[in-house]
Structures are given as structure tokens and as C-alpha cells.
Amino acid sequence: MPKSKFVDFKAVKAAITMEQVLERYGLLSKFKRSGDRLSGPCPIHKGSNPTQFSVSIEKNVWNCFSECKHGGNVLDFIQKMEDVSILAAANKAIEWFHLDPKEMSADSNQEAEETSEPARNGEVSQPRPAARPAPVQENGAPNKPLQFRLDKLERQHPYLIKERGLTLETIVDFGIGYCAKGMMTDRIAIPINNAEGKVVAYAGRFPGEPPDENIPKYKLPPGFRKSQEIFNLDRAVKEPGPLVIVEGFFDCMKVHQNGWRKVVALMGSTMSATQEELIRKHTNGHSHIVVMLDENEAGKAGREDIACRLSKFCFVKVHTFDTPDDEPEHLFPEDLVEILEGVR
């Protein structure tokens, strides 16, 4: 079959699955299935750890958390396995899976999905996919910095010290405290800074379990776009070492208190496109990231998606807890040392 120079890469990726590709290489039987995920040793660098390579069936992407320190789609996988250009990988997929070459061909006059690839090993330069566009930003204007601060807060509230185990130093450092009046009355006020270090909102945590199911644990001001900010990013980027990503405010505070100051919170178990772009802006190809979400269903789903996305541009390690529903807030200083020892 003649190899096309103009391939619609998106069409090829949509036509085949990672399961099919793994089966083509005789590898599927070596992988363990758990819900939407396949896991096994990395076939690219010929690893042996049964959890180092993960495939999301739903998203049709893969990620190696070990030596490859990389992830991608089905064509990226074939490219790595065959050590060929992305165009050659696409043509192999068309041939292997008997795809219609006409349906998989892109119009040579359309620039979408194509750009030039530098020649290698004396070969003629061939088209390759264009660089992935920047993530789409959430609609709406950026969160505006507040023109006020909540200064008269009770720092030594029992909920913070006894229930959460925070020291007064940590409480003052993060500027949190019990609010007796105003928009966060009877709640723990938590200032949220933007990447420039300006306060854009206060989150309010009910001190303990709410007595009524209609009372939410957390309260955010109307109009505040949580997906546009990353908690503690403005301070974390100034610290050395790998960046630790957690879910919640108190996870972040406890990890910080236990000795690791380069820690941020997504304020949830998912990462928005804007948050991804913020992380991109403050990292590079040599950066290390440790994704440490809660050990529950939301955390498991979130960490896999986050790892696949961030591993495109830096090294990502996913930490899993041994105990169900465990979370970073419960770690001891020596636990952090052990977790981060291999990525410093």
C-alpha cells in the first residue's frame, strides 16, 4: 500500500484504540484491567514494574511513570515503539488495521494537523502533526483582586489546632482564621491568592461537620471562578524541588507544615485548562511533579487525567496511598521524605 504524505492524524487516532494497538503487539494479555484503566510494565523501555505504565481506555491515552517519563496517544505509542516519525506511525496504523486510506488522508491544502518534520537519517522531510494548541481558557474575565482583607480573624480556634492539627505558625503563614462577622461569618476564612500573590477571594470552611445537610462545608463568594486559580501557587513556585499537587486547602497546609513548601492545591480533584496552563508556565522539561490526590474514586480518576496531561511537558510521579480514603493531610514528615526521596 502506498504511504500517504498527507494523513489526517485526528481521523487515525479516532479510528483505533490503545487496546487494539496493545493486542497488535501481543501485549494486551500482560496488562491488568481495573475499571477504565489498564496497567502493566512499560513496553517502550522494556520495564518490569507491573504498575509503571497506565492506559486510560476512555481517553485513549497512555503514560509511563518510570524511565520514559512521558505519555501520549495511540500514534505517539506506535512512534515510540517503532522509533519512526509520526507520519510513518500513522501509515503503519492505517496498514495494520486496514483503515480506508482515502478517509485517513488530509487535504494537502489544509494546514490543520500538519507541519514539517526535520529530516532524520537522510530521509526526506515529511509532514507531522502541529504542536498541540494551548488549552482553551474558561469563559469570563479573570478574578479581580479584592480591595479589602479580613484581618480580625481568630487564629487559635480549636478547629484549626485540635481537629486539623495546624500550628499557630502555619495558621498565621496562610492567613487563615475563624471569622465572627461579615461574608464568612462562623466559618474559617481562607484567603486565595492569584499567581501574582494578590488575594482574589476568601473560601469559608464550616468548622466541623455542618449540622444540616443543606449547609455546605465550603462556601465561595458569588462570581469567583475557582478553576482559574491554584491555591498557594504564588509562594510554591519560589521554592526548590518537585512540585507537589494536592486537592484541598488543608492537604496543602499540612504538607507545607510537615516540611515541603513547594505544594499547591487544585481546590478539587480535577484540573481545569487554565490551571494546567498555570502549571505549564511555572515548570519546564526538567521539572518534577508529584500528583498526590485523595485515595477515593474522584481522586483516582483525577490523578490519572492530571498525570497524562502534565506528563506531556515534564516528569510526573503519581503517589497512591495504601489505605482507602487516605489523603495528604494525614502524612507525617517522614512519609513525605520517603515519597519525595526518589524525585528530588
Side-chain angles (χ1 to χ4, degrees), residues 48-309:
S48 58
N49 188 319
T51 62
Q52 66 189 179
F53 188 91
S54 177
V55 173
S56 171
I57 299 172
E58 181 182 353
K59 296 180 176 63
N60 210 27
V61 294
W62 59 272
N63 191 46
C64 173
F65 303 108
S66 185
E67 291 183 28
C68 294
K69 304 175 184 177
H70 193 72
N73 56 53
V74 287
L75 293 185
D76 296 323
F77 181 77
I78 296 173
Q79 179 188 27
K80 293 286 186 183
M81 290 290 289
E82 301 294 318
D83 190 25
V84 296
S85 69
I86 198 73
L87 177 66
N91 277 314
K92 284 182 179 292
I94 292 171
E95 183 177 358
W96 291 347
F97 298 101
H98 307 291
L99 305 180
D100 187 339
K102 292 182 179 180
E103 292 184 2
M104 299 298 119
S105 295
D107 185 344
S108 61
N109 295 319
Q110 293 180 352
E111 295 182 2
E113 296 284 334
E114 293 181 345
T115 184
S116 61
E117 178 181 275
R120 47 183 273 175
N121 299 329
E123 296 177 355
V124 178
S125 175
Q126 299 285 2
R128 60 163 291 182
R132 183 181 294 273
V136 177
Q137 305 298 311
E138 279 69 17
N139 294 328
N143 296 309
K144 293 183 179 180
L146 300 181
Q147 301 301 312
F148 66 91
R149 294 189 73 103
L150 299 178
D151 293 324
K152 296 181 179 180
L153 301 174
E154 183 184 342
R155 307 292 185 189
Q156 301 190 51
H157 193 277
Y159 174 76
L160 295 174
I161 296 175
K162 293 183 179 180
E163 289 195 42
R164 290 294 188 173
L166 297 178
T167 64
L168 183 58
E169 180 183 1
T170 300
I171 293 169
V172 173
D173 196 16
F174 281 89
I176 65 175
Y178 179 78
C179 187
K181 61 179 181 179
M183 62 178 182
M184 293 298 171
T185 301
D186 297 330
R187 288 179 176 270
I188 302 298
I190 305 170
I192 302 172
N193 294 351
N194 61 18
E196 288 71 47
K198 298 178 180 179
V199 179
V200 291
Y202 280 90
R205 173 56 159 98
F206 192 89
E209 290 298 318
D212 190 321
E213 63 180 11
N214 295 319
I215 300 176
K217 285 185 178 181
Y218 283 97
K219 178 182 178 182
L220 292 170
F224 172 67
R225 299 176 182 85
K226 183 179 68 171
S227 61
Q228 293 190 0
E229 314 297 343
I230 299 178
F231 183 68
N232 200 48
L233 179 67
D234 59 308
R235 301 194 304 169
V237 294
K238 301 172 185 176
E239 302 289 341
L243 176 68
V244 175
I245 298 177
V246 299
E247 288 187 34
F249 300 112
F250 290 97
D251 290 325
C252 181
M253 293 178 205
K254 284 299 289 290
V255 170
H256 183 279
Q257 178 175 291
N258 286 334
W260 197 254
R261 294 177 177 269
K262 192 160 189 170
V263 56
V264 297
L266 298 174
M267 298 179 284
S269 59
T270 59
M271 179 179 66
S272 71
T274 302
Q275 290 174 324
E276 179 182 352
E277 191 63 21
L278 282 171
I279 295 172
R280 273 178 175 266
K281 183 179 178 181
H282 292 94
T283 54
N284 55 48
H286 301 291
S287 299
H288 289 66
I289 291 177
V290 179
V291 181
M292 194 183 296
L293 305 192
D294 297 356
E295 198 65 30
N296 53 32
E297 291 306 312
K300 292 175 184 177
R303 71 194 182 200
E304 183 171 333
D305 174 66
I306 292 167
C308 284
R309 289 159 63 187

